[in-house]
Amino acid sequence: MSATSAVRPVLPPDIRARKGGAPLVVLTAYSTPMARIVDAHCDVALVGDSVGMVIHGLPSTLGVTMEMMILHGRAVVRGCQKAMPVIDMPFGSYEESPQQAFRNASRLMAETGAPAVKLEGGQHMAETIAFLTARGVPVMAHVGLTPQAVNTLGGYKVVGRAEEAAKVMADAEAVQAAGAFAVVLEKVPEGLAARITQALTIPTIGIGAGVRCDGQVLVVDDMLGLFTDFRPKFVKRYAELGRDADAAIATYAAEVRDRSFPAPEHGFPDEVPAKAGAVKK
Ligand code: KIV
């Protein structure tokens, strides 16, 4: 975007300032065309590591690399004028030490142009979040179900029922104290998500966490019906683009086979027809 553009891009302090205000609208995006559509309607375009599952066909997010996040991050940044692109830090790129996290977060920001990153984890990531935010890396945190920990959690289960609730609350408080500008609450019981939202001074962005969060996020391929391998309960389908694409491609295949495509209007005649009124020399 040029320095003279009339559109002011959303930045982390704008998101932080939306606490308790109009709900924050967040969707994932992985490509420039989708980022343009998300940009027109949303506050944040999250380049989630869900890209590994919905675009690359991986069985989980664990195989996502820095290179994948940089490639998709650049594409999304190109498509955003207003909405804030946030890049997920992939598994293995930040857990080892605050220094490793800074090296990779600064690379994600420098090589994509995105103004913020997201990383998973609560109390155990607080030191890293403080290290990053003190050094110019705005962090969106992510607690509750953290899909990169699927193997230690034992599946994609609800996190925070019964005695687990106190830990999720402590995780959310810890990432706020460390300087996160917002926190994603994934698959957290609704009442607990509401209590966390009340307790925190930074916005909560829910996914499967009920309506009383400060905002909502969904994976765009889930809500458009493009990713159909499985459908979490918290996903509402706003379109059936996968089904529509299937029907369109079936029609194309049939028309190629019966030679009804391409039609004359899709081709180029051997002779260019003379323009009406033109004098043929
Ligand atoms: O990777 C992702 O898309 C996410 C959202 C589900 C929050 O982390």
Side-chain angles (χ1 to χ4, degrees), residues 28 30 46 48-50 88 118 120 142 184 186 207 217 219:
T28 65
Y30 317 109
L46 173 65
D49 61 353
S50 49
D88 244 343
K118 178 168 84 58
E120 296 183 7
H142 184 154
V184 170
E186 180 161 353
I207 174 162
V217 56
V219 169

Side-chain angles (χ1 to χ4, degrees), residues 39-149:
D39 185 60
H41 303 283
C42 299
D43 301 297
V44 173
L46 173 65
V47 189
D49 61 353
S50 49
V51 68
M53 297 173 78
V54 302
I55 301 294
H56 294 272
L58 294 173
S60 74
T61 56
L62 300 184
V64 174
T65 63
M66 283 287 291
E67 284 64 35
M68 286 159 77
M69 297 313 297
I70 289 169
L71 201 66
H72 289 283
R74 280 184 184 150
V76 168
V77 167
R78 267 180 232 126
C80 287
Q81 283 206 303
K82 175 186 69 65
M84 182 171 77
V86 175
I87 318 281
D88 244 343
M89 298 199 70
F91 179 63
S93 72
Y94 61 97
E95 301 89 333
E96 198 178 312
S97 66
Q99 288 77 7
Q100 182 214 23
F102 181 78
R103 206 163 42 248
N104 286 317
S106 58
R107 187 172 163 218
L108 287 176
M109 290 172 72
E111 294 189 26
T112 65
V117 300
K118 178 168 84 58
L119 58 81
E120 296 183 7
Q123 295 159 85
H124 66 288
M125 290 312 301
E127 186 192 347
T128 293
I129 294 172
F131 192 87
L132 294 180
T133 54
R135 287 162 179 76
V137 178
V139 176
M140 179 181 283
H142 184 154
V143 305
L145 171 62
T146 47
Q148 292 175 9

Side-chain angles (χ1 to χ4, degrees), residues 183-196:
V183 58
V184 170
L185 304 179
E186 180 161 353
K187 230 167 165 184
V188 168
E190 292 172 0
L192 174 61
R195 289 199 299 284
I196 293 172

